[in-house]
Protein backbone atom coordinates (compact mmCIF):
# COMPACT_ATOMS: atom_id res chain seq x y z
CA UNK A 1 0.00 0.00 0.00
CA UNK A 2 1.14 3.54 -0.72
CA UNK A 3 1.02 6.28 1.95
CA UNK A 4 -2.00 7.73 0.14
CA UNK A 5 -3.80 4.38 0.31
CA UNK A 6 -3.06 4.00 4.03
CA UNK A 7 -4.43 7.48 4.81
CA UNK A 8 -7.50 6.74 2.66
CA UNK A 9 -7.95 3.42 4.46
CA UNK A 10 -7.87 5.08 7.89
CA UNK A 11 -10.25 7.81 6.79
CA UNK A 12 -12.70 5.38 5.21
CA UNK A 13 -12.60 3.06 8.23
CA UNK A 14 -16.12 1.75 8.88
CA UNK A 15 -17.44 4.78 7.01
CA UNK A 16 -20.28 2.85 5.39
CA UNK A 17 -21.59 1.28 8.60
CA UNK A 18 -20.90 3.93 11.23
CA UNK A 19 -23.30 6.71 12.00
CA UNK A 20 -22.55 9.59 9.64
CA UNK A 21 -24.78 12.21 11.18
CA UNK A 22 -27.16 14.71 9.65
CA UNK A 23 -26.23 17.62 7.42
CA UNK A 24 -26.33 21.10 8.90
CA UNK A 25 -28.67 22.59 6.30
CA UNK A 26 -27.30 25.98 7.27
CA UNK A 27 -28.16 27.81 4.06
CA UNK A 28 -31.40 28.68 2.41
CA UNK A 29 -30.97 26.46 -0.66
CA UNK A 30 -33.16 28.79 -2.73
CA UNK A 31 -30.53 31.48 -2.12
CA UNK A 32 -27.37 29.50 -2.81
CA UNK A 33 -28.83 27.38 -5.60
CA UNK A 34 -30.71 30.05 -7.53
CA UNK A 35 -30.66 29.59 -11.34
CA UNK A 36 -27.44 30.58 -13.03
CA UNK A 37 -25.46 30.78 -9.80
CA UNK A 38 -22.55 28.39 -9.42
CA UNK A 39 -21.69 27.44 -5.86
CA UNK A 40 -18.20 28.43 -4.78
CA UNK A 41 -15.85 25.87 -3.25
CA UNK A 42 -16.22 27.14 0.29
CA UNK A 43 -20.02 27.09 -0.02
CA UNK A 44 -19.87 23.47 -1.17
CA UNK A 45 -17.75 22.68 1.89
CA UNK A 46 -20.30 24.35 4.18
CA UNK A 47 -23.20 22.49 2.58
CA UNK A 48 -21.47 19.13 3.13
CA UNK A 49 -20.66 19.66 6.84
CA UNK A 50 -22.43 17.23 9.11
CA UNK A 51 -23.10 16.38 12.71
CA UNK A 52 -19.96 14.28 13.24
CA UNK A 53 -17.38 15.64 10.80
CA UNK A 54 -16.39 18.84 9.04
CA UNK A 55 -15.94 17.02 5.73
CA UNK A 56 -16.32 13.55 4.27
CA UNK A 57 -13.24 11.39 3.91
CA UNK A 58 -13.63 11.35 0.11
CA UNK A 59 -14.67 14.98 -0.47
CA UNK A 60 -12.40 16.43 -3.20
CA UNK A 61 -13.41 19.98 -2.30
CA UNK A 62 -11.00 20.03 0.67
CA UNK A 63 -7.88 19.84 -1.49
CA UNK A 64 -9.35 22.54 -3.72
CA UNK A 65 -9.96 24.74 -0.67
CA UNK A 66 -6.33 24.33 0.37
CA UNK A 67 -5.18 25.34 -3.10
CA UNK A 68 -7.49 28.35 -3.09
CA UNK A 69 -6.26 29.64 0.29
CA UNK A 70 -2.65 29.23 -0.82
CA UNK A 71 -2.97 30.98 -4.16
CA UNK A 72 -6.08 33.16 -4.65
CA UNK A 73 -5.51 36.95 -4.61
CA UNK A 74 -6.03 38.65 -1.26
CA UNK A 75 -8.60 41.43 -1.63
CA UNK A 76 -8.77 42.54 2.01
CA UNK A 77 -7.10 41.93 5.37
CA UNK A 78 -7.35 43.21 8.91
CA UNK A 79 -6.16 42.27 12.37
CA UNK A 80 -8.64 40.21 14.36
CA UNK A 81 -9.32 41.42 17.87
CA UNK A 82 -9.12 39.12 20.89
CA UNK A 83 -6.73 36.27 21.53
CA UNK A 84 -3.28 36.40 22.99
CA UNK A 85 -1.23 36.69 19.80
CA UNK A 86 -1.40 38.45 16.45
CA UNK A 87 -3.60 37.04 13.70
CA UNK A 88 -5.17 38.46 10.56
CA UNK A 89 -8.44 37.90 8.73
CA UNK A 90 -7.70 37.44 5.03
CA UNK A 91 -10.44 37.74 2.40
CA UNK A 92 -9.77 36.13 -0.98
CA UNK A 93 -11.12 36.90 -4.43
CA UNK A 94 -13.85 34.23 -4.11
CA UNK A 95 -15.18 35.93 -0.92
CA UNK A 96 -13.84 33.16 1.32
CA UNK A 97 -12.01 34.08 4.50
CA UNK A 98 -9.19 32.56 6.49
CA UNK A 99 -7.44 33.18 9.77
CA UNK A 100 -3.75 33.84 9.11
CA UNK A 101 -1.04 33.35 11.74
CA UNK A 102 2.47 34.56 10.84
CA UNK A 103 5.80 32.79 11.12
CA UNK A 104 7.76 33.97 14.15
CA UNK A 105 10.86 31.79 14.03
CA UNK A 106 12.42 28.81 12.28
CA UNK A 107 11.03 25.30 12.38
CA UNK A 108 13.95 24.13 14.51
CA UNK A 109 13.25 26.65 17.28
CA UNK A 110 11.79 24.90 20.32
CA UNK A 111 9.76 26.19 23.24
CA UNK A 112 12.02 28.05 25.64
CA UNK A 113 12.92 25.95 28.65
CA UNK A 114 11.45 28.40 31.16
CA UNK A 115 8.26 29.24 29.21
CA UNK A 116 4.89 28.23 30.64
CA UNK A 117 2.44 26.71 28.17
CA UNK A 118 0.17 29.78 28.40
CA UNK A 119 2.92 32.20 27.42
CA UNK A 120 4.55 30.16 24.67
CA UNK A 121 4.70 31.40 21.08
CA UNK A 122 2.19 30.15 18.56
CA UNK A 123 3.64 28.39 15.53
CA UNK A 124 2.16 28.64 12.06
CA UNK A 125 3.62 25.23 11.24
CA UNK A 126 1.78 23.74 14.24
CA UNK A 127 -1.55 24.84 12.79
CA UNK A 128 -0.71 23.22 9.45
CA UNK A 129 0.62 20.01 11.01
CA UNK A 130 -2.43 19.69 13.29
CA UNK A 131 -4.78 19.73 10.29
CA UNK A 132 -2.80 16.95 8.63
CA UNK A 133 -2.60 14.93 11.84
CA UNK A 134 -6.39 15.19 12.28
CA UNK A 135 -6.89 14.12 8.67
CA UNK A 136 -4.53 11.15 9.01
CA UNK A 137 -6.29 10.02 12.20
CA UNK A 138 -9.59 10.09 10.33
CA UNK A 139 -11.23 12.45 12.82
CA UNK A 140 -11.97 15.24 10.32
CA UNK A 141 -12.68 17.75 13.09
CA UNK A 142 -10.10 20.43 12.15
CA UNK A 143 -10.88 23.05 9.49
CA UNK A 144 -8.56 23.02 6.45
CA UNK A 145 -5.23 24.83 7.03
CA UNK A 146 -2.52 25.58 4.48
CA UNK A 147 0.68 27.60 4.27
CA UNK A 148 0.24 31.05 2.73
CA UNK A 149 2.91 33.63 1.93
CA UNK A 150 1.66 37.21 2.40
CA UNK A 151 3.14 40.45 1.11
CA UNK A 152 3.10 43.20 3.76
CA UNK A 153 3.22 45.96 1.14
CA UNK A 154 0.33 44.78 -1.05
CA UNK A 155 -1.70 42.43 1.17
CA UNK A 156 -1.61 44.11 4.60
CA UNK A 157 -0.65 47.79 4.50
CA UNK A 158 -3.35 49.01 2.03
CA UNK A 159 -6.11 47.75 4.33
CA UNK A 160 -4.54 48.55 7.71
CA UNK A 161 -6.25 50.79 10.25
CA UNK A 162 -4.53 53.96 11.46
CA UNK A 163 -3.55 52.19 14.70
CA UNK A 164 -2.13 49.20 12.83
CA UNK A 165 -0.22 51.42 10.40
CA UNK A 166 1.65 52.86 13.37
CA UNK A 167 3.07 49.40 14.10
CA UNK A 168 4.60 48.98 10.61
CA UNK A 169 8.25 49.97 10.29
CA UNK A 170 11.52 49.25 8.46
CA UNK A 171 14.14 47.20 10.27
CA UNK A 172 17.80 48.30 10.26
CA UNK A 173 18.50 45.94 7.34
CA UNK A 174 15.55 47.25 5.30
CA UNK A 175 12.96 44.55 5.93
CA UNK A 176 9.35 45.63 6.44
CA UNK A 177 7.97 44.67 9.87
CA UNK A 178 4.76 44.97 11.89
CA UNK A 179 3.53 43.95 15.34
CA UNK A 180 -0.13 45.00 15.70
CA UNK A 181 -1.91 44.85 19.04
CA UNK A 182 -2.54 41.77 21.22
CA UNK A 183 -1.95 40.40 24.74
CA UNK A 184 1.39 38.69 24.10
CA UNK A 185 4.34 39.55 21.85
CA UNK A 186 2.75 42.53 20.08
CA UNK A 187 5.59 45.01 20.47
CA UNK A 188 8.56 46.16 18.43
CA UNK A 189 10.81 43.62 20.17
CA UNK A 190 8.62 40.77 18.86
CA UNK A 191 7.75 42.19 15.44
CA UNK A 192 6.92 40.06 12.39
CA UNK A 193 9.46 40.91 9.68
CA UNK A 194 9.39 40.15 5.98
CA UNK A 195 12.18 39.28 3.54
CA UNK A 196 12.06 42.09 2.53
CA UNK A 197 8.24 42.25 2.75
CA UNK A 198 7.17 38.61 2.20
CA UNK A 199 6.08 36.64 5.29
CA UNK A 200 4.94 33.04 5.49
CA UNK A 201 2.11 31.93 7.74
CA UNK A 202 -0.78 29.51 8.14
CA UNK A 203 -4.21 30.17 6.65
CA UNK A 204 -7.11 28.36 8.34
CA UNK A 205 -10.50 28.29 6.61
CA UNK A 206 -13.24 30.15 8.45
CA UNK A 207 -16.15 28.10 9.73
CA UNK A 208 -19.67 29.21 8.73
CA UNK A 209 -20.88 32.39 10.38
CA UNK A 210 -22.46 31.70 13.76
CA UNK A 211 -25.71 33.17 12.49
CA UNK A 212 -26.04 30.02 10.35
CA UNK A 213 -24.02 27.53 12.38
CA UNK A 214 -24.01 28.57 16.06
CA UNK A 215 -21.23 27.19 18.22
CA UNK A 216 -20.98 26.56 21.93
CA UNK A 217 -17.76 27.04 23.89
CA UNK A 218 -17.34 24.09 26.25
CA UNK A 219 -14.90 24.02 29.15
CA UNK A 220 -12.43 21.15 29.09
CA UNK A 221 -12.77 19.26 32.43
CA UNK A 222 -9.01 18.68 32.34
CA UNK A 223 -8.27 22.36 31.81
CA UNK A 224 -5.03 23.62 33.35
CA UNK A 225 -4.95 26.34 35.98
CA UNK A 226 -3.18 28.98 33.86
CA UNK A 227 -1.38 30.01 37.03
CA UNK A 228 2.30 29.74 37.87
CA UNK A 229 1.51 28.38 41.33
CA UNK A 230 -2.07 27.09 41.53
CA UNK A 231 -2.94 23.46 40.86
CA UNK A 232 -6.33 22.11 39.77
CA UNK A 233 -8.32 19.14 41.04
CA UNK A 234 -7.42 16.63 38.33
CA UNK A 235 -3.72 17.02 39.09
CA UNK A 236 -4.15 15.68 42.64
CA UNK A 237 -7.31 13.56 42.56
CA UNK A 238 -6.83 10.14 40.89
CA UNK A 239 -10.61 9.57 41.02
CA UNK A 240 -11.43 12.82 39.24
CA UNK A 241 -12.78 11.00 36.17
CA UNK A 242 -15.67 9.59 38.19
CA UNK A 243 -16.77 13.13 38.95
CA UNK A 244 -16.56 14.07 35.27
CA UNK A 245 -18.59 11.01 34.28
CA UNK A 246 -21.38 12.15 36.61
CA UNK A 247 -21.75 15.54 34.89
CA UNK A 248 -23.57 16.48 31.68
CA UNK A 249 -22.65 15.89 28.84
CA UNK A 250 -20.02 13.32 29.83
CA UNK A 251 -22.49 11.10 31.64
CA UNK A 252 -23.80 9.54 28.41
CA UNK A 253 -23.31 9.45 24.68
CA UNK A 254 -20.08 10.05 22.83
CA UNK A 255 -18.76 13.15 24.62
CA UNK A 256 -16.35 11.38 26.99
CA UNK A 257 -14.81 9.23 24.25
CA UNK A 258 -14.49 12.30 22.02
CA UNK A 259 -12.55 13.93 24.85
CA UNK A 260 -10.19 10.93 24.97
CA UNK A 261 -9.64 11.32 21.21
CA UNK A 262 -8.97 15.02 21.66
CA UNK A 263 -6.29 14.42 24.32
CA UNK A 264 -4.58 11.70 22.28
CA UNK A 265 -4.54 14.18 19.38
CA UNK A 266 -3.07 16.89 21.64
CA UNK A 267 -0.53 14.52 23.19
CA UNK A 268 0.91 13.57 19.80
CA UNK A 269 1.48 17.24 18.98
CA UNK A 270 2.44 18.25 22.54
CA UNK A 271 -0.34 20.83 22.90
CA UNK A 272 -1.03 21.72 26.58
CA UNK A 273 -3.32 24.65 25.78
CA UNK A 274 -6.75 23.00 25.35
CA UNK A 275 -8.65 24.96 28.00
CA UNK A 276 -11.92 25.03 26.02
CA UNK A 277 -13.22 23.56 22.80
CA UNK A 278 -16.13 24.40 20.56
CA UNK A 279 -19.02 22.28 19.35
CA UNK A 280 -21.78 23.16 16.91
CA UNK A 281 -24.86 24.15 18.86
CA UNK A 282 -28.10 22.96 17.26
CA UNK A 283 -29.94 22.07 20.48
CA UNK A 284 -33.24 21.13 18.85
CA UNK A 285 -31.62 18.73 16.37
CA UNK A 286 -28.39 17.43 17.89
CA UNK A 287 -28.43 18.16 21.65
CA UNK A 288 -24.93 17.04 22.78
CA UNK A 289 -24.55 14.48 20.01
CA UNK A 290 -21.82 16.19 18.02
CA UNK A 291 -18.01 16.43 18.03
CA UNK A 292 -15.34 18.85 19.30
CA UNK A 293 -14.02 21.24 16.68
CA UNK A 294 -10.23 21.19 16.74
CA UNK A 295 -9.31 24.89 16.57
CA UNK A 296 -6.29 26.86 17.85
CA UNK A 297 -3.47 24.33 17.62
CA UNK A 298 -0.69 26.91 17.39
CA UNK A 299 0.98 25.88 20.64
CA UNK A 300 1.61 22.33 19.52
CA UNK A 301 4.87 20.89 18.19
CA UNK A 302 6.99 23.02 20.54
CA UNK A 303 9.26 20.32 21.97
CA UNK A 304 10.98 17.50 20.12
CA UNK A 305 12.57 15.66 23.03
CA UNK A 306 10.04 16.07 25.84
CA UNK A 307 6.75 14.17 25.96
CA UNK A 308 4.20 15.91 28.21
CA UNK A 309 2.50 12.88 29.76
CA UNK A 310 0.03 15.03 31.71
CA UNK A 311 -1.87 15.65 28.44
CA UNK A 312 -2.90 11.98 28.60
CA UNK A 313 -4.31 12.31 32.13
CA UNK A 314 -7.95 11.86 30.98
CA UNK A 315 -7.02 8.57 29.33
CA UNK A 316 -5.03 7.40 32.35
CA UNK A 317 -7.74 8.35 34.86
CA UNK A 318 -10.80 7.19 32.90
CA UNK A 319 -9.13 4.15 31.29
CA UNK A 320 -11.42 4.28 28.27
CA UNK A 321 -10.66 4.62 24.58
CA UNK A 322 -12.74 4.28 21.43
CA UNK A 323 -12.16 0.97 19.63
CA UNK A 324 -11.60 2.65 16.27
CA UNK A 325 -9.05 5.06 17.82
CA UNK A 326 -7.11 2.14 19.28
CA UNK A 327 -7.09 0.38 15.91
CA UNK A 328 -5.76 3.50 14.20
CA UNK A 329 -2.98 3.93 16.78
CA UNK A 330 -1.99 0.28 16.33
CA UNK A 331 -1.87 0.72 12.55
CA UNK A 332 0.24 3.87 12.89
CA UNK A 333 2.62 2.06 15.23
CA UNK A 334 2.94 -1.23 13.36
CA UNK A 335 2.86 0.01 9.78
CA UNK A 336 3.10 -0.47 6.87
CA UNK A 337 3.92 3.21 7.47
CA UNK A 338 4.65 4.97 10.74
CA UNK A 339 2.79 8.15 11.63
CA UNK A 340 5.96 10.14 10.91
CA UNK A 341 6.04 8.87 7.33
CA UNK A 342 2.38 9.66 6.77
CA UNK A 343 2.77 13.15 8.29
CA UNK A 344 5.76 13.83 6.07
CA UNK A 345 3.90 12.54 3.02
CA UNK A 346 0.73 14.51 3.75
CA UNK A 347 2.44 17.81 4.59
CA UNK A 348 4.62 17.50 1.46
CA UNK A 349 1.58 18.77 -0.43
CA UNK A 350 1.77 22.10 1.44
CA UNK A 351 3.45 25.10 -0.28
CA UNK A 352 5.63 25.70 2.81
CA UNK A 353 6.97 22.13 3.06
CA UNK A 354 8.85 20.99 5.10
CA UNK A 355 6.38 21.66 7.91
CA UNK A 356 7.84 19.42 10.64
CA UNK A 357 11.56 18.83 11.11
CA UNK A 358 12.89 15.35 11.77
CA UNK A 359 12.87 15.70 15.57
CA UNK A 360 9.11 16.39 15.60
CA UNK A 361 8.42 13.48 13.24
CA UNK A 362 10.38 11.13 15.49
CA UNK A 363 8.46 12.47 18.50
CA UNK A 364 5.12 11.69 16.81
CA UNK A 365 6.05 8.00 16.50
CA UNK A 366 7.32 7.91 20.07
CA UNK A 367 4.10 9.42 21.40
CA UNK A 368 1.92 6.92 19.53
CA UNK A 369 3.84 4.15 21.31
CA UNK A 370 3.51 5.93 24.69
CA UNK A 371 -0.28 6.29 24.23
CA UNK A 372 -0.54 2.58 23.36
CA UNK A 373 1.49 1.67 26.45
CA UNK A 374 -0.91 3.64 28.64
CA UNK A 375 -3.89 1.89 27.04
CA UNK A 376 -2.21 -1.46 27.66
CA UNK A 377 -1.76 -0.60 31.35
CA UNK A 378 -5.47 0.19 31.56
CA UNK A 379 -6.42 -3.11 29.91
CA UNK A 380 -4.23 -5.08 32.32
CA UNK A 381 -5.80 -3.25 35.27
CA UNK A 382 -9.45 -3.09 34.23
CA UNK A 383 -9.96 -5.54 31.38
CA UNK A 384 -10.58 -5.10 27.65
CA UNK A 385 -14.36 -4.76 27.86
CA UNK A 386 -14.15 -1.87 30.32
CA UNK A 387 -11.38 0.00 28.52
CA UNK A 388 -12.03 -0.45 24.78
CA UNK A 389 -15.47 0.89 23.84
CA UNK A 390 -17.05 0.25 20.46
CA UNK A 391 -19.69 2.96 20.13
CA UNK A 392 -20.11 2.72 16.38
CA UNK A 393 -17.74 5.58 15.53
Amino acid sequence: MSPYEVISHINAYRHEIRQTGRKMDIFDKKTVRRPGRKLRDWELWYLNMSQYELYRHDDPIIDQLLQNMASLPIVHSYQLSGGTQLKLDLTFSDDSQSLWKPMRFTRETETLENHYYFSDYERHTAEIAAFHLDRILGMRRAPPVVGRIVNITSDIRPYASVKFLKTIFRSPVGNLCFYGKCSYYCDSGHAICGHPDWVEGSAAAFLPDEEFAPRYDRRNPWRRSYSRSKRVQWEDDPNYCQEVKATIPFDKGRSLLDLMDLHVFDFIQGNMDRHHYEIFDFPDKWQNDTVPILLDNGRGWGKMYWDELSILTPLMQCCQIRHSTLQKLLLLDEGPYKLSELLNYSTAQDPLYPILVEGHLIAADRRVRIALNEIQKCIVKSGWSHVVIDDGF
Side-chain angles (χ1 to χ4, degrees):
M1 296 177 75
S2 69
Y4 173 81
E5 290 171 323
V6 171
I7 295 173
S8 297
H9 170 71
I10 294 174
N11 271 269
Y13 175 75
R14 299 182 61 184
H15 192 84
E16 297 306 319
I17 62 172
R18 76 174 188 174
Q19 301 176 59
T20 56
R22 287 169 288 179
K23 293 287 185 68
M24 284 191 188
D25 294 328
I26 61 175
F27 290 132
D28 177 354
K29 291 184 173 58
K30 291 181 180 179
T31 300
V32 297
R33 295 189 184 279
R34 63 179 182 268
R37 184 184 188 277
K38 183 180 178 182
L39 290 178
R40 292 166 289 191
D41 294 329
W42 58 274
E43 290 174 319
L44 290 170
W45 173 44
Y46 287 179
L47 284 173
N48 288 331
M49 283 183 183
S50 71
Q51 187 174 1
Y52 301 135
E53 56 191 13
L54 293 185
Y55 55 92
R56 280 182 55 92
H57 73 285
D58 55 356
D59 190 348
I61 208 66
I62 301 304
D63 287 329
Q64 186 60 51
L65 279 175
L66 296 174
Q67 183 178 333
N68 291 349
M69 290 191 294
S71 60
L72 285 179
I74 296 169
V75 298
H76 193 263
S77 66
Y78 68 92
Q79 183 181 354
L80 287 169
S81 60
T84 59
Q85 299 186 36
L86 185 145
K87 52 190 179 291
L88 301 181
D89 177 341
L90 303 182
T91 302
F92 302 111
S93 57
D94 67 346
D95 291 330
S96 63
Q97 292 175 282
S98 76
L99 185 149
W100 185 80
K101 294 184 178 181
M103 172 180 175
R104 283 198 173 272
F105 36 61
T106 67
R107 287 147 175 76
E108 294 79 15
T109 303
E110 294 193 78
T111 296
L112 296 176
E113 193 174 66
N114 293 312
H115 264 207
Y116 288 93
Y117 48 87
F118 51 83
S119 61
D120 190 21
Y121 298 107
E122 291 189 348
R123 293 166 175 77
H124 70 303
T125 49
E127 295 284 0
I128 299 168
F131 163 70
H132 287 272
L133 174 62
D134 167 69
R135 201 177 192 183
I136 290 168
L137 289 172
M139 295 179 179
R140 299 185 291 281
R141 300 169 196 171
V145 183
V146 70
R148 172 75 194 222
I149 297 177
V150 167
N151 186 286
I152 302 172
T153 300
S154 59
D155 298 328
I156 297 178
R157 187 150 62 179
Y159 313 109
S161 66
V162 173
K163 286 185 178 180
F164 192 91
L165 281 172
K166 292 179 179 178
T167 75
I168 300 177
F169 62 94
R170 286 278 177 193
S171 74
V173 294
N175 292 325
L176 199 59
C177 307
F178 64 94
Y179 55 87
K181 183 176 177 57
C182 60
S183 302
Y184 285 92
Y185 310 121
C186 280
D187 56 70
S188 58
H190 296 93
I192 309 299
C193 292
H195 300 280
D197 55 356
W198 292 96
V199 183
E200 66 176 62
S202 62
F206 268 30
L207 294 170
D209 191 283
E210 294 201 43
E211 176 186 352
F212 303 105
R215 300 193 296 277
Y216 173 72
D217 200 33
R218 179 176 287 167
R219 185 182 186 274
N220 184 352
W222 279 271
R223 179 183 186 271
R224 298 175 188 275
S225 70
Y226 289 79
S227 165
R228 293 173 179 82
S229 56
K230 183 181 178 182
R231 292 173 66 84
V232 284
Q233 183 181 346
W234 63 262
E235 294 180 279
D236 300 314
D237 181 1
N239 298 313
Y240 177 72
C241 182
Q242 301 309 311
E243 183 176 316
V244 174
K245 285 182 178 180
T247 61
I248 299 173
F250 306 106
D251 57 337
K252 61 182 178 180
R254 62 175 294 159
S255 295
L256 186 69
L257 291 173
D258 283 338
L259 201 59
M260 301 300 112
D261 284 352
L262 186 154
H263 278 265
V264 168
F265 171 76
D266 277 344
F267 175 67
I268 291 173
Q269 59 180 337
N271 179 21
M272 301 171 67
D273 194 35
R274 192 72 64 183
H275 46 84
H276 290 78
Y277 59 90
E278 293 186 6
I279 62 168
F280 286 113
D281 185 19
F282 294 97
D284 295 333
K285 294 196 300 181
W286 296 354
Q287 282 110 27
N288 286 314
D289 190 22
T290 185
V291 296
I293 306 169
L294 303 179
L295 303 170
D296 293 332
N297 301 294
R299 285 186 171 139
W301 308 102
K303 296 182 178 179
M304 303 180 207
Y305 308 108
W306 174 259
D307 306 313
E308 186 52 55
L309 202 59
S310 66
I311 302 172
L312 283 182
T313 298
L315 172 63
M316 294 186 288
Q317 290 183 345
C318 297
C319 266
Q320 288 189 322
I321 191 74
R322 184 170 276 131
H323 182 249
S324 61
T325 302
L326 174 58
Q327 287 197 310
K328 292 168 188 175
L329 291 174
L330 287 168
L331 178 62
L332 294 172
D333 183 56
E334 297 171 358
Y337 296 97
K338 297 283 190 181
L339 175 57
S340 59
E341 296 173 289
L342 297 179
L343 274 170
N344 192 53
Y345 168 82
S346 186
T347 57
Q349 318 307 312
D350 192 273
L352 302 184
Y353 177 81
I355 303 302
L356 297 175
V357 297
E358 185 179 8
H360 288 306
L361 294 171
I362 293 172
D365 289 338
R366 187 175 65 243
R367 290 164 188 165
V368 168
R369 169 48 51 185
I370 290 171
L372 286 170
N373 286 341
E374 293 302 324
I375 296 169
Q376 177 64 24
K377 290 177 187 177
C378 285
I379 293 171
V380 170
K381 180 177 70 174
S382 304
W384 175 277
S385 61
H386 174 80
V387 175
V388 183
I389 310 299
D390 190 348
D391 65 344
F393 294 100

